[in-house]
Amino acid sequence: MWEKRMEWPLNAAAVLFLAAYAWPILQPSLGQTGRVWCEVVTWLSWAVFALDYGVRLKHAEDKRAFLKSNVFDLLIIVLPLIRQLRLLRLVTVLNVLNRNAGLSLRGRVVVYTVGATALIVFCSALAVLDAERATPDAPITDFPDAVWWSITTITTVGYGDRYPVSGAGRVVAVGLMVAGIALLGVVTATLASWLIRRVTEADESAQAVTREHLDELTREVKALRAELAEQRAGLSPEASEPLGTARG
């Protein structure tokens, strides 16, 4: 019940969180007041995620099992309290996307993969731009360059025309590389699963047609046997009568 009630509030908090994080990066000329408000919004959004986790923990019948099965949720709430790890707050948006991707497994995989890819590309571009903008002679200095770098990195192409030079930027790059490999594996597995399902359905359809034909042939054979049996039964008296007459 609680998760159903929190579906829209979590979605709204995720959107506000992402907007408040992106605004100061996309608009460097934003004043101090605007930056403070963006920081307040990000922390309020994070507080909503923390509240959701706390309530779910409170209502859990087996709290130890809940903690073991939701370690990822706990980490994305605790680690961002360290200012150096504040970028990890972006992962909370992915967590909300995963929880609201749909009920069916296939729909969840498709929605999560597409949404997660777009979100990771966007957030990685923001993060690397935030880290590289103040670095002297950095190849990534504006948002289009950051998006281009993010796309080439997550697709494992890596042209090398844009690359991070700062420590924070390289940390973002490592995370994006790992995410790219993971997403590529998900896409490949999903496509393979779809192909296997299609082949299985075609095979089952062919087997059903074959079984239907066999059943029909079996019925025809039974009908022919019955007809032959009737004919033999009808011919037996007539065949025996001339034989008896000849003897007389």
Side-chain angles (χ1 to χ4, degrees):
M1 181 64 69
W2 170 261
E3 293 185 0
K4 189 66 176 178
R5 290 179 180 178
M6 289 298 295
E7 181 176 345
W8 285 106
L10 286 175
N11 289 335
V15 172
L16 289 175
F17 177 89
L18 190 58
Y21 176 80
W23 191 4
I25 299 175
L26 297 177
Q27 187 180 349
S29 59
L30 185 66
Q32 184 63 28
T33 302
R35 291 180 180 276
V36 170
W37 276 109
C38 288
E39 188 71 14
V40 170
V41 171
T42 57
W43 280 110
L44 288 177
S45 302
W46 173 87
V48 173
F49 298 128
L51 174 64
D52 173 67
Y53 181 86
V55 172
R56 287 191 292 129
L57 175 61
K58 180 181 178 181
H59 291 167
E61 296 181 359
D62 189 345
K63 292 180 171 52
R64 180 174 297 180
F66 178 85
L67 291 173
K68 289 182 179 179
S69 59
N70 293 274
V71 175
F72 181 74
D73 293 357
L74 180 62
L75 289 177
I76 64 177
I77 291 174
V78 174
L79 291 180
L81 292 174
I82 306 173
R83 184 167 182 80
Q84 289 78 4
L85 300 176
R86 64 192 182 95
L87 291 178
L88 292 177
R89 279 178 276 171
L90 292 172
V91 184
T92 57
V93 183
L94 287 176
N95 188 48
V96 173
L97 179 65
N98 184 40
R99 286 179 55 182
N100 298 284
L103 298 177
S104 66
L105 178 60
R106 190 185 312 165
R108 173 168 295 186
V109 169
V110 173
V111 173
Y112 184 74
T113 302
V114 175
T117 302
L119 191 60
I120 289 174
V121 168
F122 180 69
C123 293
S124 298
L126 291 174
V128 78
L129 180 60
D130 189 27
E132 295 291 303
R133 178 175 282 159
T135 304
D137 300 326
I140 302 174
T141 56
D142 54 32
F143 188 65
D145 285 344
V147 172
W148 170 253
W149 167 83
S150 184
I151 292 174
T152 57
T153 302
I154 199 172
T155 55
T156 67
V157 175
Y159 286 110
D161 54 344
R162 296 290 184 271
Y163 52 89
V165 295
S166 65
R170 289 175 177 175
V171 170
V172 175
V174 171
L176 185 57
M177 293 173 193
V178 174
I181 295 173
L183 289 172
L184 183 61
V186 170
V187 171
T188 303
T190 303
L191 179 60
S193 175
W194 178 80
L195 290 174
I196 293 173
R197 181 179 59 84
R198 296 288 295 183
V199 171
T200 303
E201 289 177 354
D203 186 54
E204 290 177 351
S205 178
Q207 289 180 1
V209 172
T210 303
R211 285 194 297 268
E212 184 178 352
H213 288 169
L214 288 175
D215 293 340
E216 185 178 354
L217 289 174
T218 302
R219 288 192 298 268
E220 291 180 358
V221 170
K222 288 182 178 179
L224 288 173
R225 286 180 176 177
E227 186 177 350
L228 287 174
E230 291 178 359
Q231 290 179 356
R232 289 176 180 176
L235 290 174
S236 294
E238 296 178 0
S240 61
E241 183 177 353
L243 184 59
T245 306
R247 289 178 180 178

